[in-house]
Amino acid sequence: MLILGIESSCDETAAAVVKDGREVLSNVINTQIELHKKFGGVVPEVASRRHIETIDAVIDEALHEANATFNDIDAIAVTYGPGLVGALLVGVSTAKALAFALGKPLIAVHHIKGHIMANFVAHEKLEPPFVCLVASGGHSHIVNVEDYTRFEIMGRTRDDAAGEAFDKIARVLGLGYPGGPLIDKLAKEGNPNAVKFPRVRMDKDSLDFSFSGVKTAVINYLHKLEQNGEEYDKADIAASFQDAVTDVLCEHTIEAAKEKRSRVIALAGGVASNSALRAKMTDMAAKDGIDVIYPPPVLCTDNAVMIACAGYYEYLENNFADMTLNAVASLSL
Ligand code: KG4
Ligand code: ZN
């Protein structure tokens, strides 16, 4: 079965063709990073306009790379939320038009479920259940993946997403956008123990996250040094900040895995490409005999392979959308 996946929830216009849920025939991503760089973050209106300009060509290229035509496609899967509503609408409208014109089934995919599903593409033998940490620019969730279409949220951020905190601190340090990969790189040259930033736990029994405290702590720390005219090493700050965030992500996720007796922890979302997070989670989880897996970076950040994969499993459950499908900015799992 061939599924055409379409993703346009933020600043990547993406299309992919995936065979039987797990075999990638094409993966085309048109990133708008250069366009939004000068604003220091994604400008929703600018993102929507660029999606409109590029989506047809991106879909054509995905079919071409897969050596397929529209006739070969069995269903069209599209991200309908959560995300920027104007951006989502471009993908949703395109998918609806294609499904209608071609007489093919339409499948609505939840963006966060898509991020999790990237692990099934990257790890051929992976089967549910397992615990997954989804950490991206918009979300930070600990999810119990019960099966291919059922998910239980065990913990979530109460304020900022982990990626949002990375982006903000990178901006304060004058590194650029998007901040996650830049902090990741700079932190390799710094001392993670240089400054002890707070590791926040909301309540004793909760696996929820809060990253606004660590973000403010870093900003206040830098302001104080600047006011006193003191020099600081950006690499040390990047490494210490990253250490605080990854400590919390690892501790809560491992607790969740132990609670569910999960032998596997999967990472997903843009922050899952963070090298310190991958290494720390792998080391810490090994002490409890838990394996840590993650997709390659290209399947961690936004892409349409993950949407096609999620669409395949929804297809098997007969979960189809109709022409009333709309984009939804906030959508629970
Ligand atoms: O999954 P994604 O592409 O988009 C959302 O759904 O939000 O994630 C983008 C986020 C950005 O905040 C970016 O800074 C972060 O993922 N990110 C990273 C790394 N690569 C991307 N954060 C930390 N370390 C990285 N290596
Ligand atoms: Zn995403």
Side-chain angles (χ1 to χ4, degrees):
M1 186 187 301
L2 293 192
I3 309 274
L4 170 67
I6 299 175
E7 154 67 40
S8 70
S9 66
C10 190
D11 60 344
E12 264 90 30
T13 322
V17 179
V18 175
K19 186 177 173 190
D20 297 334
R22 297 207 181 201
E23 191 186 332
V24 181
L25 301 190
S26 64
N27 179 18
V28 179
I29 304 168
N30 185 280
T31 179
Q32 305 179 1
I33 285 177
E34 284 306 318
L35 186 66
H36 298 286
K37 235 179 200 165
K38 57 177 173 290
F39 306 109
V42 179
V43 182
E45 176 67 17
V46 175
S48 313
R49 284 165 189 258
R50 182 53 66 89
H51 283 310
I52 290 176
E53 286 162 13
T54 54
I55 198 157
D56 288 348
V58 167
I59 292 171
D60 272 350
E61 201 177 320
L63 288 172
H64 181 75
E65 253 184 42
N67 216 355
T69 66
F70 279 126
N71 286 335
D72 303 322
I73 299 297
D74 293 289
I76 293 149
V78 63
T79 307
Y80 75 112
L84 303 170
V85 77
L88 286 163
L89 268 174
V90 178
V92 168
S93 310
T94 308
K96 280 164 75 173
L98 284 174
F100 182 74
L102 300 167
K104 310 258 178 185
L106 176 68
I107 302 164
V109 174
H110 190 292
H111 184 76
I112 300 174
K113 288 186 189 173
H115 273 300
I116 296 168
M117 302 307 276
N119 280 287
F120 290 116
V121 177
H123 306 282
E124 215 181 306
K125 300 234 157 31
L126 178 65
E127 281 176 24
F130 57 87
V131 164
C132 183
L133 169 69
V134 196
S136 70
H139 333 275
S140 300
H141 285 46
I142 299 173
V143 179
N144 181 34
V145 182
E146 293 171 351
D147 69 25
Y148 293 100
T149 56
R150 279 189 308 137
F151 306 82
E152 174 205 358
I153 297 179
M154 300 181 69
R156 54 151 57 91
T157 182
R158 302 251 184 113
D159 41 58
D160 298 343
E164 206 176 338
F166 269 95
D167 293 338
K168 177 73 190 186
I169 296 307
R171 189 162 358 150
V172 174
L173 289 173
L175 300 181
Y177 169 85
L182 300 167
I183 292 206
D184 192 349
K185 190 160 166 243
L186 185 63
K188 290 192 168 80
E189 296 157 26
N191 173 10
N193 301 313
V195 192
K196 188 85 181 164
F197 290 121
R199 276 83 170 144
V200 174
R201 174 171 289 256
M202 302 303 288
D203 314 297
K204 194 167 66 64
D205 298 324
S206 167
L207 294 172
D208 283 355
F209 301 114
S210 166
F211 295 113
S212 73
V214 62
K215 194 180 76 180
T216 311
V218 177
I219 293 170
N220 289 345
Y221 181 84
L222 294 176
H223 277 171
K224 214 173 194 175
L225 291 181
E226 279 160 14
Q227 271 170 359
N228 296 341
E230 288 177 52
E231 301 259 311
Y232 58 85
D233 183 347
K234 282 188 186 181
D236 281 350
I237 305 292
S240 301
F241 159 75
Q242 182 175 265
D243 199 49
V245 172
T246 52
D247 266 358
V248 177
L249 291 173
C250 291
E251 275 163 24
H252 291 207
T253 308
I254 291 167
E255 257 179 67
K258 281 161 80 174
E259 189 183 315
K260 294 290 174 190
R261 298 182 195 285
S262 174
R263 301 327 304 158
V264 173
I265 288 174
L267 308 182
V271 181
S273 22
N274 184 268
S275 57
L277 175 67
R278 289 174 169 210
K280 191 181 287 183
M281 192 76 86
T282 304
D283 282 355
M284 283 174 66
K287 296 193 180 89
D288 291 297
I290 300 170
D291 288 335
V292 175
I293 59 168
Y294 34 79
V298 70
L299 294 182
C300 286
T301 43
D302 288 348
N303 65 86
V305 165
M306 65 188 199
I307 304 305
C309 172
Y312 171 77
Y313 289 102
E314 295 294 343
Y315 189 117
L316 297 185
E317 301 271 321
N318 287 318
N319 286 337
F320 298 114
D322 61 27
M323 286 300 136
T324 62
L325 180 67
N326 204 349
V328 186
S330 332
L331 189 62
S332 57
L333 200 65

